[in-house]
């Protein structure tokens, strides 16, 4: 239950667009957890891109896979 609650909080607050408080009852567990994982990965990639932009992270040390969030 805690993992599902965390996933709901992630997709609601991160604005996934596909799962909303109005339609989450029709969402399967797989869709919910998959969307939450994608949102988390997107936030991580955005942080890495911000680090590259500010010069705090060297792009040479990252692979293409590290920058994929989908």
């Amino acid at each position: 239950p805690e993992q599902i609650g965390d996933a709901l909080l992630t997709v609601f607050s991160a604005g996934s667009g596909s799962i909303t408080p109005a339609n989450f009852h029709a969402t399967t567990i797989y869709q919910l957890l998959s969307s939450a994982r994608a949102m988390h990965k997107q936030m991580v990639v955005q942080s890495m891109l911000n680090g590259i932009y500010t010069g705090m992270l060297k792009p040479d040390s990252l692979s293409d896979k590290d920058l994929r969030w989908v």
Side-chain angles (χ1 to χ4, degrees):
E2 186 174 331
Q3 186 178 9
I4 294 171
D6 290 346
L8 280 171
L9 181 62
T10 300
V11 296
F12 291 163
S13 64
S16 71
S18 60
I19 301 173
T20 65
N23 72 356
F24 79 94
H25 292 293
T27 304
T28 65
I29 296 294
Y30 176 78
Q31 290 170 324
L32 174 65
L33 296 178
S34 178
S35 293
R37 185 178 52 130
M39 295 306 299
H40 181 262
K41 288 171 81 177
Q42 182 183 21
M43 287 186 258
V44 169
V45 169
Q46 286 175 342
S47 295
M48 285 192 285
L49 291 174
N50 188 40
I52 291 169
Y53 179 75
T54 60
M56 304 278 297
L57 185 63
K58 298 207 181 279
D60 305 349
S61 63
L62 299 173
S63 69
D64 291 340
K65 185 178 178 185
D66 292 334
L67 296 176
R68 287 188 205 134
W69 60 269
V70 181

